[in-house]
Amino acid sequence: MLLRYGLAAALVLPSIQIAFQHRVTPDARAVLRRNILDAQLHAMRQGDGALSAGARERMRSANPEWDFMNRTFLALALSELARNGSGEERAEQIAAVDSLIEDTLRLERDHGAEHFLLPYVHRRPFVDVSGRSVFVDGEIALMMAVRERAAKGAIDSRWTGELRERLELIRSQMERSPTLSAESYPDECWMFCNSVAAAAMSIGEEVGAGEHASFARRFVDNAKQNLRDPETGLLISEYTLDGTPQDGPEGSSIYFVATMLAEIDPEFAADQYQRARRELGAELLGFGYAREWPESWRGVQDIDSGLIVPGLDASAGASGMAILGAARFGDEETLQDLHRSLHLAAFPIEEEGQFRFAASNSVGDAVLLYALALEHPTQE
Amino acid sequence: MKEKEEPKRRLSPGIQIALTIWALTFLAHAFGLRDFTSVLSGTPVVGVPQEAAVLGGMTYVVLWLLATSIAPVALVAAMLGISSDWVRSRSRH
């Protein structure tokens, strides 16, 4: 009997991936891109231009950052699609990004940047005199920067002035610290947020919103020298303003960090992706996933990692970001493996004509949309 | 003379395992536990306490993975058993 079960397992288990193969081809991913885009735009229309109230409140109850990040990733996705699009569709995508930015600025004005931050931001004051969070400033700047780049040459510039002001605020904050970094929370610098700010600076210079690209390169050079995990060579995820490491490399951030750093130092960014793939990526019977931490560093399960599957150490947060990294760096094999896992374990649903993944949320779907949008090569 | 009783036909263990797993998975799906899988990404389920949501979500995930991996293995193992029994019975004749 043991032999029979062994033989059956040898036949069946390696074949399961075949059942999902039709969902992971480039053509299938193009269909998925359309489905998620339609769902995200539908949610925006329901919410009068931003996110539907239901989706927003559900995410905010877990983490107000997700509401904010949904906006950023959706803006990134729409801008990337607009860069490669034309005509009416491009104009609609740019208009949708404008709507996201307007709504985000309105909430910032009405409720303060704390509206998008976790409550512990109030536990102590920021170290820097500005008292500002680069998590909020950086992502708003990035939304404006990618919008301007996507619209360049076709649609009127709209945010260059505000982008210039915000980048100057961010830069002065970063320059005051020994790590050329800014706080996201009091005395917490996150590589995720600082790489977003640096990418916004680099893109900002392209669109005429100041000359900060050389500073962005200085930030990256400093990070290379001083903010890497010595075991893996991966950038660490969190440190204090003076550069004391607080958290090692994390899957839920490094893939996106590499994507942002590709705007500044493509060679280093590609190196970080390859290291992340080696240290965090895994595959089982054709199904790919990512771990939250490398073997050399064990962190704590948190809101960013999501549930960690015991045994496999698989993290939904890291795996979603790994899709983004694989798309950005053209790693088709890994991309297909990860998409197989997505369709196996994220439970795609179509309800009332709208598509979503049950195991994900709106920000997760927006991250996936950005990854799918990146698969379009730029036509520049 | 007492008639020889026909042995009761029973489903092979492999088929029983496969059908049980698929039935439980169907029930979990029918009870809406698929929506509880949002806990995998840390997203709460509206109106459901966190512990219940995690339990429901993980139950669905485990059943789904069993249904897509172990159940087919059990079924194929049962088919292999049935095939080998048939071949053996043919060779005896």
Side-chain angles (χ1 to χ4, degrees):
Chain A
M1 185 164 93
L2 205 60
L3 185 64
R4 233 188 298 140
Y5 275 87
L7 184 58
L11 287 169
V12 171
L13 296 181
S15 308
I16 297 172
Q17 60 177 296
I18 297 171
F20 294 88
Q21 187 55 32
H22 67 289
R23 297 197 186 188
V24 307
T25 60
D27 286 345
R29 299 199 303 264
V31 172
L32 182 61
R33 179 173 56 239
R34 174 51 59 184
N35 286 339
I36 298 179
L37 178 62
D38 287 346
Q40 292 275 315
L41 291 176
H42 175 77
M44 275 185 69
R45 284 191 287 273
Q46 296 281 303
D48 298 323
L51 300 174
S52 72
R56 184 191 300 166
E57 287 316 310
R58 193 173 172 216
M59 287 195 300
R60 286 186 65 82
S61 68
N63 186 347
E65 294 179 351
W66 288 351
D67 167 17
F68 186 60
M69 290 167 69
N70 196 151
R71 299 158 191 273
T72 304
F73 281 104
L74 185 50
L76 285 166
L78 288 166
S79 300
E80 193 64 30
L81 290 169
R83 266 177 103 187
N84 296 289
S86 59
E88 204 176 299
E89 197 172 24
R90 184 183 189 184
E92 281 173 2
Q93 285 157 355
I94 297 292
V97 178
D98 287 337
S99 183
L100 278 167
I101 296 172
E102 279 164 13
D103 188 69
T104 305
L105 291 176
R106 177 186 62 78
L107 287 167
E108 188 194 29
R109 261 193 321 270
D110 293 348
H111 304 289
E114 300 81 34
H115 181 72
F116 299 115
L117 297 170
L118 288 162
Y120 81 91
V121 70
H122 300 293
R123 270 190 220 149
R124 49 181 176 157
F126 281 91
V127 175
D128 186 73
V129 295
S130 70
R132 299 183 73 92
S133 166
V134 76
F135 166 63
V136 176
D137 284 332
E139 291 196 20
I140 289 177
L142 183 67
M143 283 195 269
M144 291 177 178
V146 296
R147 183 275 185 204
E148 291 299 303
R149 182 169 65 178
K152 205 171 175 185
I155 294 163
D156 287 345
S157 157
R158 181 158 169 198
W159 303 103
T160 310
E162 289 199 53
L163 175 58
R164 182 190 301 274
E165 283 175 24
R166 204 162 289 247
L167 288 176
E168 280 165 11
L169 276 172
I170 293 170
R171 178 171 174 171
S172 59
Q173 203 180 337
M174 291 173 85
E175 276 185 317
R176 284 193 286 272
S177 96
T179 51
L180 300 181
S181 304
E183 296 158 277
S184 300
Y185 286 84
D187 207 16
E188 279 182 24
C189 297
W190 288 84
M191 191 59 69
F192 186 109
C193 308
N194 280 280
S195 61
V196 162
M201 287 180 183
S202 187
I203 300 168
E205 184 161 314
E206 279 178 53
V207 300
E211 292 175 6
H212 303 294
S214 61
F215 176 79
R217 282 192 294 276
R218 278 176 57 206
F219 162 76
V220 175
D221 289 341
N222 179 74
K224 273 190 223 179
Q225 293 298 317
N226 301 309
L227 297 172
R228 289 214 266 181
D229 170 50
E231 295 276 342
T232 61
L234 285 166
L235 290 167
I236 60 175
S237 58
E238 185 199 346
Y239 46 103
T240 60
L241 206 55
D242 66 5
T244 307
Q246 300 296 293
D247 269 326
E250 289 182 344
S252 53
S253 62
I254 190 62
Y255 292 101
F256 182 59
V257 167
T259 301
M260 290 292 99
L261 294 184
E263 298 285 350
I264 305 153
D265 186 339
E267 199 178 308
F268 177 60
D271 172 75
Q272 286 293 292
Y273 171 72
Q274 289 302 331
R275 287 176 189 268
R277 184 175 179 244
R278 193 169 58 240
E279 299 289 340
L280 304 173
E283 175 261 334
L284 180 65
L285 302 172
F287 293 91
Y289 62 94
R291 288 183 283 265
E292 178 67 347
W293 312 288
E295 288 298 325
S296 57
W297 163 263
R298 297 301 298 181
V300 178
Q301 180 177 298
D302 59 19
I303 196 80
D304 296 325
S305 67
L307 265 177
I308 305 292
V309 178
L312 295 177
D313 263 357
S315 153
S319 299
M321 288 298 186
I323 293 177
L324 180 56
R328 178 59 186 83
F329 294 96
D331 185 353
E332 179 65 18
E333 186 186 340
T334 301
L335 199 52
Q336 291 208 7
D337 289 347
L338 289 165
H339 270 269
R340 257 181 234 112
S341 294
L342 186 67
H343 286 281
L344 173 69
F347 311 108
I349 300 177
E350 191 150 352
E351 276 171 342
E352 297 167 1
Q354 296 308 313
F355 181 91
R356 64 184 178 92
F357 285 99
S360 182
N361 50 29
S362 188
V363 64
D365 289 351
V367 170
L368 180 58
L369 180 60
Y370 179 38
L372 291 163
L374 283 172
E375 292 189 42
H376 260 317
T378 179
Q379 288 170 355
E380 285 176 1
Chain B
M1 194 162 69
K2 227 176 169 180
E3 277 187 19
K4 197 174 175 184
E5 283 184 16
E6 286 228 7
K8 282 185 184 169
R9 289 193 183 180
R10 297 180 65 189
L11 289 174
S12 80
I15 295 177
Q16 287 181 53
I17 290 169
L19 290 178
T20 303
I21 291 173
W22 285 331
L24 287 173
T25 308
F26 175 78
L27 281 174
H29 190 84
F31 277 105
L33 292 189
R34 183 178 57 175
D35 275 323
F36 287 39
T37 60
S38 64
V39 297
L40 285 174
S41 56
T43 311
V45 181
V46 176
V48 178
Q50 177 69 359
E51 295 80 8
V54 170
L55 182 63
M58 293 314 295
T59 299
Y60 188 90
V61 170
V62 168
L63 284 172
W64 172 255
L65 292 176
L66 289 175
T68 52
S69 59
I70 303 303
V73 169
L75 186 65
V76 168
M79 295 294 112
L80 288 172
I82 292 168
S83 305
S84 81
D85 288 348
W86 182 80
V87 166
R88 252 189 263 125
S89 71
R90 286 293 300 256
S91 66
R92 267 193 227 120
H93 298 312

